[in-house]
Amino acid sequence: MSTPNLLIHQAQILLPNGEFLLGDVQVRDGQITQVAPTIAPSDDDRQIEAEGLTLLPGVIDPQVHFREPGLEHKEDLFTASCACAKGGVTSFLEMPNTRPLTTTQAALDDKLQRAAQKCLVNYGFFIGATVENLPDLRTAQPTPGIKIFMGSMKGPLLIDHEAALEPIFATGDRLIAVHAENQARIEQRRQQFAGITDPAIHSQIQDNQAALEATQLALKLSRKYQRRLHILHLSTAEEAELLRQDKPAWVTAEVTPQHLLLNTSAYATIGTLAQMNPPLRSPHDNAVLWQALLEGVIDFIATDHAPHTLTEKAQPYPNSPSGMPGVETSLPLMLTQAKQGRCTVAQVANWMSTAVARAYGIPNKGRIEPGYDADLVLVDLMTERPVLRSELLTKCGWSPFEGWSLTGWPVVTIVGGQVVYERCQLHLDVRGKPLTFAPAS
Ligand code: DOR
């Protein structure tokens, strides 16, 4: 599909220095070519009127579960990428717990082929570590890194012993992203609390200590081998404090909007829809995570979009699966926080785009600057609208944030210079591209 010439007219443009410019952005061949107070339109420019709207770099969501192949009754790459386009997410990094697991080059190639056919936004796929795929972990391409489930997983993707983790940290130099929960502690506490069906027990079974112990182990191994480590969905005050005291330069961490904005009180209102791994924590954890994000101890934001159907979620705990969707709500949720004065719009764009591109070495993304890819989102910071189940595009069809009144909803989303979402309409013929990742420096 040919990429049209675009002129975005009179937007509040977020510049790389964090300031805003009221002006125009010119796009040619999928890249930003000019940013200026006024740019004269060419005859073949498609003009996008942006008066009253704010232009941000497209969101890069670095942790999602899109369920294809194998679990398409929950979500697939088409429905998920439609939800991304609506949510202003122009690129995503997807996790390996599909069926088959993404643990070989062949499985990675299969996902890339499927994505090329059906994804409306840009895509990258993690390679999952098992105890026997060290060679694949070294050579698989392209991938943002190796995903290790230290806990909260069944089957070959669970690596819950130091002796099995060690060779992975010792071999190669690409990024390792960890789901850090101590499986032994979780199993012991599961027995202790067996028989309880109130989902609130989930946060006690998989408690703060379980997360802290696994994060400590991952940090120990990362230090030993000076290995690039990323800690996924950091959820506890204790882990944030640990990193605040001593975070090696080669370590990054992320937090989800749910761990910032929801806590254990959500079980009383939304039951098992509030169940995720690592679990929701206390209001104190919310506050410490926020502070860590503001201080730069936590580097960026991911949704951990992990859809399950309402029928699956309706099973009584512990048979109800863990996970909640997020790509459609993450940007307005965070921009609403900015509007309320908890952070700035520029910080939100940094946490949801610029810092992610930097951490994963994704070239030419995350900034509105000539030479960068035209992955952009125009948001409306004035209008407030509620999250409505009837408007959701994710196949699972629910959100833990239903009823929340949010501002900063995307009005236009642009992927590689192509308008993919525009005033509630999707352009279904748009396709994203595979992301590339610079080797660890
Ligand atoms: O809550 C979660 N659900 N956490 C994970 O790490 C996995 C995910 C899933 O795939 O459902």
Side-chain angles (χ1 to χ4, degrees), residues 150-200:
M150 298 171 73
S152 287
M153 184 45 68
K154 289 186 187 128
L157 284 183
L158 176 66
I159 306 193
D160 57 349
H161 288 96
E162 187 169 347
L165 290 163
E166 185 124 17
I168 304 172
F169 277 80
T171 310
D173 58 5
R174 66 171 26 150
L175 179 147
I176 293 175
V178 289
H179 178 131
E181 287 190 274
N182 180 345
Q183 186 68 14
R185 182 174 172 92
I186 293 173
E187 274 163 22
Q188 176 248 314
R189 290 175 73 76
R190 212 172 260 158
Q191 293 195 351
Q192 194 178 328
F193 295 105
I196 301 178
T197 54
D198 177 352

Side-chain angles (χ1 to χ4, degrees), residues 63 65 67 97 147 149 153 179 233 275-278 304 306 308 322-323:
Q63 195 197 167
H65 302 263
R67 310 303 193 199
N97 55 329
K147 165 72 182 274
F149 284 91
M153 184 45 68
H179 178 131
H233 41 41
Q275 183 190 328
M276 70 172 293
N277 298 331
D304 191 16
H308 298 284
S322 294

Side-chain angles (χ1 to χ4, degrees), residues 228-246:
R228 174 81 179 91
L229 171 70
H230 176 64
I231 301 163
L232 299 158
H233 41 41
L234 201 85
S235 64
T236 70
E238 290 86 345
E239 291 166 284
E241 186 55 26
L242 178 71
L243 288 180
R244 202 181 63 71
Q245 282 171 17
D246 185 14

